[in-house]
Amino acid sequence: MLLKPKKTYFFYESCSLTLLCIYILFGIQFSIGQEQDFKVPDSLKKQSYDELYASYRNVNRDTIQSKLYLSAYLEKAIKDKDTIKMAMAYSSISCYISEESEKIALLDEAIAISEGLNDDKYPIKSYSFKGGYYLKKGQYQLALDNYIKALKLSEEVHNEPYIEITKHNIACIKTKIAKHKEALILFKANFEYKKKKYPKNDTYVLKSLIPMAESYRYNKMLDSATIYNRDGIRLSIRNRKLRSRYYGKLVLNEGINLFYKEQYESSYDSIAKGISLLHNSSAANQESYILGFFYLGKLKLEQKDTLLAQKEFIKMDSIIQREEIALLETRKGYEFLISLNKANNNTEQELVYVNRLLSFDKILNQQRDSISNKLFKEFDTPMLLKDKESLILELKNSARGMIFLISFLIILSIIIGVFMYYQYKNKKEYKEKFNELVNKNKSIHKTQKKSLDEIGIAEEVVEHILNSLEVFEQKNQFLKKNLSIGSLAKKMNTNTKYLSKIINHHKDKSFTHYINELRVEYSVEQLQESEKLKNYTIQGIAEEMGFNSAESFSSAFKRSTGIKPSYFLQKLCALNAE
């Protein structure tokens, strides 16, 4: 287990850090020594950092050789007390460590020694590596925590490439928790950045293009998804390396897209071809295998071939069990297996898949509650738990299962009854308010005179303003757009203070509510009298009544009458039709 240096006095801290780094290096060497006797050759000790790093990059797919060069790099960095280069070595070595505790310990050490140094790469990359590891493990909250830290540090040091990388990675988390609209915005921005920044680097472009095309599919923008899948396919066949890494995945993804376009025959051919082109040993391709078998199963269901569909879903399940990968859309594969066994009265096998689905949900839900709203709508986990209990009880005593079913139906009936009553009550209230409006005589805005002592304005001024308001109402001058208390006061040869006080005192409302209520009342009258106005949109009616938007009109109408203008117009048209 790696221990962080205890921060005390500078001299002690420096010594502790050096000893700790030597201890970690020894641990790395011991780990490599399990496969072969390890010792940094003298020839490597004499090489510069650049030479060691270049050698490592040339063999980075070889775990043993990579560890050798990185350990030599680390030993040199410890000797030189170069903290940033040590952090780089720890972070890079972590990529070749399979044991989680060792991997995280190395990354934590890289973070600890480089934190606060204001470097433009570390500990940004260390946080990013941790986020990537947790994302692959399905631990989305931990992944997000580390990505947010990486993003914050990237922004502080203006590291534009890592700002874009981290936003892309956060988009991947959003995709995992079905925040597809939000994810697509980030994917599109990243793709434009990559095309502009690295126009000749097809690998960078493809790494950005593929998840963006998938996001278009998740957002049901199928034509856009097809355009980018085809662009990706053209890029991927430029050389053998790109073809081996991306071509199969792109062909498979377009096959899935064709499924949603209901081009089932072409979809089946593309998915089957894509699966055959994927490298089975690649961890990055396991999700593609799962999706491929899942959609082959769905295609077989379209052909009413439940036997072959079952085989494809079982293949899907075997990879999910082996890799512990949970993809939201493949959940329906388990629902099919449960339904099929239920239909065949195979209760024991049904229970097996119910347990698998519960395990599936556990993986999906494990880290999401704190970062996402509830995702599951059709077959949620609480209901699944009840179904599981029902199945177990059915195996023991079928009568108890019947009681449970009856209880469930009673509860469901009560819920539906309450919902219907609530709907009925709302409709009744709306209808009553509509009838009140239709049968209401046209209001006469005679202002009731009140005591003048309360507002402290001369009686002749009050009389003048009230008479002016009466003319204002009779001539429907309130229909003027962008009417303000200032413009009205000027027209009445008074000031805004007097006008506001008199409206508040004699009309019992603010200037805004006074104007809005006049407009609403006028709209109610005109909608009953004018056949032409009934054919207007809400926006059109709003503009006729002096409102700037449909929203402000609807809000004022609802406040004044208790119902929405759309409902009033609908009922009015129905009444006239009778």
Side-chain angles (χ1 to χ4, degrees):
M1 180 178 178
L2 295 172
L3 300 174
K4 291 184 179 180
K6 186 175 181 180
K7 294 186 177 181
T8 54
Y9 298 103
F10 176 79
F11 175 76
Y12 179 72
E13 181 179 326
S14 177
C15 292
S16 298
L17 180 59
T18 303
L19 290 171
L20 177 62
C21 293
I22 293 170
Y23 171 71
I24 292 170
L25 178 60
F26 176 78
I28 295 168
Q29 292 174 344
F30 178 76
S31 174
I32 298 173
Q34 292 179 339
E35 300 174 28
Q36 65 181 45
D37 291 335
F38 176 84
K39 184 179 179 182
V40 177
D42 291 338
S43 58
L44 295 186
K45 291 181 180 180
K46 296 177 182 178
Q47 289 187 11
S48 67
Y49 290 114
D50 290 342
E51 288 171 333
L52 288 170
Y53 187 75
S55 298
Y56 152 65
R57 293 297 296 169
N58 288 333
V59 298
N60 64 357
R61 291 187 176 276
D62 185 320
T63 299
I64 301 300
Q65 288 296 311
S66 295
K67 284 183 177 179
L68 177 67
Y69 286 113
L70 288 171
S71 295
Y73 191 103
L74 177 59
E75 186 178 90
K76 183 177 180 67
I78 291 171
K79 184 179 179 181
D80 295 344
K81 297 182 180 180
D82 192 325
T83 307
I84 296 302
K85 287 184 170 57
M86 287 159 55
M88 173 269 163
Y90 289 140
S91 299
S92 299
I93 291 169
S94 74
C95 298
Y96 301 95
I97 303 297
S98 57
E99 177 61 38
E100 179 173 320
S101 60
E102 294 179 24
K103 179 188 291 286
I104 298 303
L106 285 168
L107 290 170
D108 284 342
E109 185 59 32
I111 291 168
I113 63 176
S114 58
E115 196 87 66
L117 298 181
N118 207 35
D119 185 70
D120 66 344
K121 291 186 178 64
Y122 291 94
I124 296 169
K125 294 180 76 170
S126 308
Y127 278 124
S128 187
F129 286 5
K130 278 184 74 177
Y133 174 74
Y134 285 128
L135 178 59
K136 290 177 183 177
K137 294 276 289 182
Q139 297 181 22
Y140 304 128
Q141 181 62 61
L142 289 173
L144 186 60
D145 290 344
N146 282 281
Y147 283 144
I148 287 173
K149 290 175 182 176
L151 182 59
K152 182 180 178 181
L153 291 171
S154 298
E155 290 172 341
E156 286 177 1
V157 297
H158 308 292
N159 186 330
E160 186 182 42
Y162 255 88
I163 289 172
E164 294 301 324
I165 289 169
T166 309
K167 286 181 178 179
H168 176 273
N169 292 336
I170 290 173
C172 292
I173 295 178
K174 287 181 177 289
T175 298
K176 297 296 184 184
I177 61 173
K179 300 287 186 182
H180 298 306
K181 288 183 179 180
E182 298 171 20
L184 182 56
I185 293 169
L186 294 173
F187 282 133
K188 287 165 67 176
N190 182 264
F191 180 67
E192 292 303 320
Y193 173 80
K194 289 287 179 68
K195 279 203 309 179
K196 183 178 179 181
K197 187 78 173 178
Y198 311 104
K200 296 182 180 180
N201 192 321
D202 292 341
T203 299
Y204 280 9
V205 172
L206 282 169
K207 281 183 176 181
S208 184
L209 180 148
I210 290 172
M212 182 183 67
E214 291 172 345
S215 190
Y216 272 116
R217 183 182 82 235
Y218 287 129
N219 282 282
K220 297 182 173 56
M221 301 168 72
L222 303 180
D223 290 339
S224 295
T226 291
I227 289 170
Y228 286 109
N229 281 332
R230 289 175 178 173
D231 286 348
I233 288 170
R234 283 193 290 270
L235 276 179
S236 69
I237 58 177
R238 287 185 176 181
N239 61 59
R240 288 179 60 185
K241 182 179 178 181
L242 293 176
R243 187 183 184 93
S244 66
R245 291 181 67 181
Y246 302 113
Y247 180 63
K249 185 179 183 69
L250 284 159
V251 170
L252 189 152
N253 282 354
E254 181 54 23
I256 297 172
N257 206 43
L258 291 170
F259 172 84
Y260 287 106
K261 290 185 174 183
E262 299 183 359
Q263 299 177 28
Y264 297 130
E265 187 174 343
S266 298
S267 171
Y268 188 91
D269 291 342
S270 293
I271 293 172
K273 180 181 178 180
I275 289 174
S276 70
L277 293 169
L278 293 173
H279 287 287
N280 188 41
S281 59
S282 171
N285 285 334
Q286 299 311 307
E287 287 190 9
S288 295
Y289 277 114
I290 292 170
L291 288 174
F293 291 128
F294 169 71
Y295 280 100
L296 288 180
K298 293 197 75 172
L299 285 162
K300 290 301 177 184
L301 287 181
E302 290 292 334
Q303 298 173 357
K304 310 299 182 186
D305 192 337
T306 55
L307 184 60
L308 286 179
Q310 181 185 20
K311 289 182 179 179
E312 300 297 348
F313 288 135
I314 288 172
K315 291 177 187 175
M316 170 202 79
D317 171 60
S318 67
I319 302 174
I320 289 173
Q321 298 306 311
R322 183 182 72 236
E323 302 292 334
E324 294 187 343
I325 296 174
L327 303 177
L328 182 61
E329 59 196 295
T330 61
R331 194 176 191 276
K332 289 190 178 292
Y334 284 106
E335 293 178 9
F336 166 79
L337 293 172
I338 292 169
S339 299
L340 182 65
N341 284 285
K342 188 171 188 175
N344 294 332
N345 294 319
N346 190 346
T347 307
E348 291 184 5
Q349 194 61 31
E350 180 188 358
L351 189 59
V352 168
Y353 284 113
V354 167
N355 283 325
R356 292 267 175 92
L357 186 51
L358 286 170
S359 176
F360 180 97
D361 285 349
K362 183 179 179 182
I363 295 171
L364 283 171
N365 282 321
Q366 196 171 21
Q367 300 293 330
R368 286 185 199 190
D369 289 342
S370 58
I371 56 172
S372 173
N373 297 322
K374 187 177 178 181
L375 294 176
F376 310 114
K377 296 179 181 178
E378 297 181 7
F379 200 63
D380 58 24
T381 301
M383 184 59 69
L384 194 59
L385 287 168
K386 290 180 182 178
D387 288 347
K388 177 184 176 181
E389 291 171 3
S390 178
L391 288 168
I392 294 171
L393 289 171
E394 185 182 346
L395 291 172
K396 296 179 179 179
N397 190 337
S398 59
R400 290 185 179 182
M402 184 61 67
I403 292 170
F404 174 80
L405 178 60
I406 293 170
S407 301
F408 172 76
L409 291 174
I410 290 171
I411 294 170
L412 184 61
S413 299
I414 292 170
I415 293 171
I416 292 172
V418 171
F419 177 75
M420 291 179 68
Y421 172 75
Y422 180 76
Q423 291 291 94
Y424 167 77
K425 185 179 177 183
N426 278 350
K427 286 182 179 179
K428 185 179 179 182
E429 289 178 359
Y430 265 46
K431 189 174 182 182
E432 289 173 353
K433 289 174 181 177
F434 170 77
N435 290 333
E436 287 176 10
L437 283 175
V438 171
N439 298 324
K440 183 179 179 183
N441 290 328
K442 183 174 180 181
S443 299
I444 299 176
H445 294 278
K446 289 290 184 181
T447 304
Q448 299 296 324
K449 289 190 177 181
K450 297 182 180 180
S451 171
L452 302 179
D453 297 336
E454 300 176 21
I455 57 175
I457 301 176
E459 185 175 352
E460 59 272 18
V461 175
V462 174
E463 287 291 341
H464 166 71
I465 292 176
L466 288 176
N467 290 334
S468 298
L469 286 174
E470 189 173 345
V471 173
F472 170 76
E473 293 170 8
Q474 289 173 352
K475 291 186 177 181
N476 299 328
Q477 292 172 354
F478 48 80
L479 297 178
K480 183 181 178 182
K481 273 192 175 183
N482 301 315
L483 182 63
S484 68
I485 192 169
S487 63
L488 187 56
K490 185 177 180 180
K491 186 174 182 180
M492 293 180 177
N493 295 318
T494 185
N495 58 58
T496 58
K497 183 179 178 181
Y498 283 2
L499 181 57
S500 177
K501 276 190 174 185
I502 290 170
I503 291 174
N504 289 336
H505 185 69
H506 289 278
K507 304 292 184 180
D508 292 321
K509 58 198 72 170
S510 68
F511 174 78
T512 301
H513 289 153
Y514 167 63
I515 298 298
N516 284 347
E517 287 187 12
L518 287 172
R519 289 171 173 175
V520 168
E521 184 171 323
Y522 184 76
S523 72
V524 170
E525 294 169 3
Q526 289 301 302
L527 282 169
Q528 293 179 76
E529 296 171 5
S530 171
E531 291 299 323
K532 181 181 177 182
L533 194 61
K534 289 190 184 76
N535 295 319
Y536 281 27
T537 62
I538 298 298
Q539 179 66 40
I541 297 170
E543 290 177 0
E544 288 291 316
M545 298 304 137
F547 289 94
N548 289 322
S549 68
E551 290 78 13
S552 59
F553 172 58
S554 296
S555 177
F557 196 99
K558 178 76 183 294
R559 184 181 186 277
S560 182
T561 67
I563 60 177
K564 294 180 179 179
S566 55
Y567 175 83
F568 178 75
L569 188 58
Q570 178 189 355
K571 296 297 288 185
L572 198 60
C573 291
L575 186 64
N576 292 341
E578 294 175 2

